Amino acid sequence: MSVTEQARPAEAKPRHAHMLIDGNWVDALSGATLVVENPGRRTPIATIPRGNADDVQLAVAAAQQAFPAWSRIPPRQRGRMLLQVAEALEARIEELARIIAEETGNAIRTQARNESTLTADIFRYFAGLGGELKGETIPLGEHVLSYTRREPLGVVGAIIPWNAPVLLGALKIAPALVAGNTLVLKAAEDAPLGVLFMARVCQEFLPPGVLNVLTGTGEEAGGPLAHHPAIRKLSFTGSTEVGKIIMHAAAERIVPVSLELGGKSPSIVYPDADQDWVVDGVIAGMRFTRQSQSCTAGSRLFLHRDIFDSFLDKLTKKTQALKLGDPLDETSDIGAIINEKQFRKVCGYVDEGLHRKDARLVFGGLPPKEGPLAQGYFAIPTVFADTSNDWRLAREEIFGPVLVAIPWRDEADAIRMANDSHYGLAAYVWTHDIGTALRTAHAIESGWVQVNQGLGQQPGHSYGGYKQSGIGREFSLEGMLDSFTQRKNVTVNLNTPRAM
Ligand code: NAI
Ligand code: MG
């Protein structure tokens, strides 16, 4: 693994960012703050308001007040405002990319710039969908007019994580708003700065109170938002553990909930595919260049026994050629883990793998204790082989660059192991045989299966989880309609006698 050497500029004094409530840029009512850190350097870069239930109260009240007027704006006109947001974001992609790289530790060239670009694209995509908020007519006979309307739900409460914070924030803001809802969004405490930057751009074009963005911890700000009685819909992206808490909160008030949760996605490699090419795809699917902090990471590699060793040799060479280093350095392929807690968690899994007799370390291991990489939360891509599908490393979402390689000979066995998980988010199948590919794709219990590619989601995809990976779909036209509108039926009797 090569290391990016870079002269470190003198660290700037941390700046202070504000939250957005009712069109105003504010501090927490309590005045409390949190520190945001650059995980590549472990230096503070900003302070943010530490919002709590009182701030949630203000934000929800603002969103409630803004709702009637916003919901009555014709949908395509709402879409035009989102298009202005898209264009303004497109002009500032580079600025946003730097903020994302700095606060998340995601490398600017391989990750942050793509996230920034895709964020603008998400606004552009949903901006065009205003005209699709259509209803239908029901043929109940000549003397009846029965039709449905797609109506917004009201105030949406959304909570997002830190791994692709701006993109995931856009995926709440754009569909919720174009559908006519107003929104209170809670950013992740580790990566709120890009989200606040995006909110500033949005606020140039939106009426006050339509979009409100809070910062603070999960317990202090996220909890009160999930439990607020005026919230009519909860949309959450993050861990399965917190997803369950959100679903409980929703159950208390019978509000609809969308959950985009974790994954432990299988990548099944058949022996007939070109190995060099599949290795590139497996590296992409594993999201090694985002430190594998991705819910769709293909983190269980099921390799056919005939190619097991040769494939792992090639995987070793290609992964080790990736450059780990400062997220803001253009030559870095891989950046840093988000924070100390996640870094320790990832190291804990690696340590467990190193101590297990029935697991063979193919490459990687624990991070160096000194040198430039020791200055940040840099985890080293690591692969364990000859493992079973049953141990903790093969079952739990590590959210770090730790891949387990498991051999198979019988296709049915590979599929059984792939499905033997409480998660079901993504999957990857690698083979030249189209029949084999589709048979396997159909047998896998996952919301999204890619055959012969390891790419990220695109606007328009139906994307979401099976099993404990989540409920609902938000990425697409259908997702916007299903997750952010409710249908009303109006039935009119046309045979009405007139009063004499
Ligand atoms: P998390 O699920 O705790 O955090 C996600 C968001 O939920 C943050 O905005 C957080 O402030 C909020 N939150 C936390 N507790 C809450 C509560 N009780 N009520 C309301 N909101 C709450 O994720 P965390 O702790 O940052 O990461 C832990 C693990 O979660 C990771 O190792 C990974 O396995 C998984 N994860 C999965 C993600 C995904 O995209 N599927 C994203 C982030 C984490
Ligand atoms: Mg947590």
Side-chain angles (χ1 to χ4, degrees), residues 412-453:
D413 232 25
I415 292 170
R416 183 189 54 72
M417 287 191 286
N419 287 339
D420 180 19
S421 167
H422 60 283
Y423 290 119
L425 193 54
Y428 307 83
V429 180
W430 306 90
T431 173
H432 267 299
D433 185 294
I434 187 72
T436 303
L438 297 187
R439 193 168 64 232
T440 307
H442 296 177
I444 287 177
E445 297 166 352
S446 290
W448 181 32
V449 183
Q450 294 186 76
V451 176
N452 296 334
Q453 61 169 31

Side-chain angles (χ1 to χ4, degrees), residues 160-162 186 189 218 222 236 238-239 261 295 342 345 397 399:
I160 52 171
W162 41 261
K186 211 269 311 159
E189 49 272 51
F236 173 78
S239 63
L261 308 175
C295 41
Q342 289 296 116
K345 184 178 152 191
E397 182 177 52
F399 233 57

Side-chain angles (χ1 to χ4, degrees), residues 269-398:
V269 185
Y270 284 82
D272 66 328
D274 177 87
Q275 288 185 38
D276 283 299
W277 176 75
V278 177
V279 163
D280 288 336
V282 163
I283 289 171
M286 178 54 187
R287 319 285 188 235
F288 270 136
T289 58
R290 210 197 307 157
Q291 303 76 258
S292 304
Q293 298 173 127
S294 164
C295 41
T296 55
S299 51
R300 289 184 299 151
L301 178 60
F302 294 103
L303 288 174
H304 192 274
R305 216 177 251 298
D306 289 350
I307 56 162
F308 197 79
D309 292 325
S310 59
F311 191 94
L312 288 179
D313 281 348
K314 292 178 194 294
L315 181 66
T316 304
K317 284 197 189 76
K318 287 204 170 181
T319 307
Q320 291 198 319
L322 296 171
K323 195 165 170 184
L324 208 66
D326 191 323
L328 285 163
D329 188 321
E330 290 290 337
T331 65
S332 299
D333 296 302
I334 302 178
I337 296 283
I338 185 75
N339 60 29
E340 185 172 5
K341 182 179 139 230
Q342 289 296 116
F343 180 68
R344 283 181 191 280
K345 184 178 152 191
V346 173
C347 293
Y349 282 108
V350 174
D351 198 46
E352 182 178 325
L354 293 174
H355 284 93
R356 246 183 104 109
K357 296 220 164 46
D358 57 353
R360 170 168 64 90
L361 178 71
V362 181
F363 63 84
L366 287 168
K369 293 228 157 33
E370 40 201 50
L373 289 185
Q375 288 170 36
Y377 303 120
F378 291 97
I380 297 177
T382 298
V383 176
F384 290 106
D386 301 326
T387 62
S388 87
N389 194 36
D390 297 329
W391 65 322
R392 207 164 74 92
L393 269 73
R395 305 201 72 81
E396 297 177 9
E397 182 177 52
I398 297 175

Side-chain angles (χ1 to χ4, degrees), residues 31-223:
T33 58
L34 292 167
V35 174
V36 183
E37 197 184 49
N38 171 338
R41 298 178 181 181
R42 297 195 206 174
T43 49
I45 48 176
T47 52
I48 51 163
R50 181 171 181 161
N52 65 23
D54 296 333
D55 307 290
V56 169
Q57 187 62 37
L58 289 182
V60 174
Q64 267 185 296
Q65 218 193 339
F67 175 70
W70 179 250
S71 63
R72 280 197 294 267
I73 294 176
R76 292 190 60 206
Q77 205 171 315
R78 289 195 298 261
R80 272 197 285 277
M81 295 183 214
L82 296 181
L83 192 57
Q84 289 176 299
V85 172
E87 281 165 359
L89 282 171
E90 276 157 6
R92 302 182 75 177
I93 280 173
E94 202 50 36
E95 229 177 311
L96 179 54
R98 292 190 71 81
I99 296 172
I100 295 172
E102 196 180 20
E103 69 176 337
T104 62
N106 293 342
I108 187 148
R109 193 192 84 251
T110 61
Q111 296 300 319
R113 198 169 284 127
N114 295 345
E115 178 176 347
S116 179
T117 307
L118 187 51
T119 296
D121 207 26
I122 290 293
F123 277 95
R124 193 172 274 287
Y125 171 78
F126 283 105
L129 298 185
E132 296 299 326
L133 290 150
K134 298 173 198 165
E136 64 225 4
T137 55
I138 298 100
L140 297 184
E142 285 308 302
H143 304 291
V144 181
L145 171 62
S146 184
Y147 63 97
T148 57
R149 287 160 54 81
R150 289 268 182 192
E151 298 186 348
L153 290 136
V155 181
V156 174
I159 298 173
I160 52 171
W162 41 261
N163 55 329
V166 181
L167 174 64
L168 296 172
L171 281 166
K172 308 294 184 202
I173 298 171
L177 263 47
V178 79
N181 305 280
T182 56
L183 183 66
V184 179
L185 176 74
K186 211 269 311 159
E189 49 272 51
D190 289 300
L193 303 176
V195 174
L196 292 171
F197 178 97
M198 166 170 62
R200 260 187 203 275
V201 172
C202 291
Q203 197 49 50
E204 286 174 36
F205 306 100
L206 297 174
V210 168
L211 170 65
N212 305 274
V213 180
L214 298 174
T215 55
T217 67
E219 287 76 13
E220 292 169 5

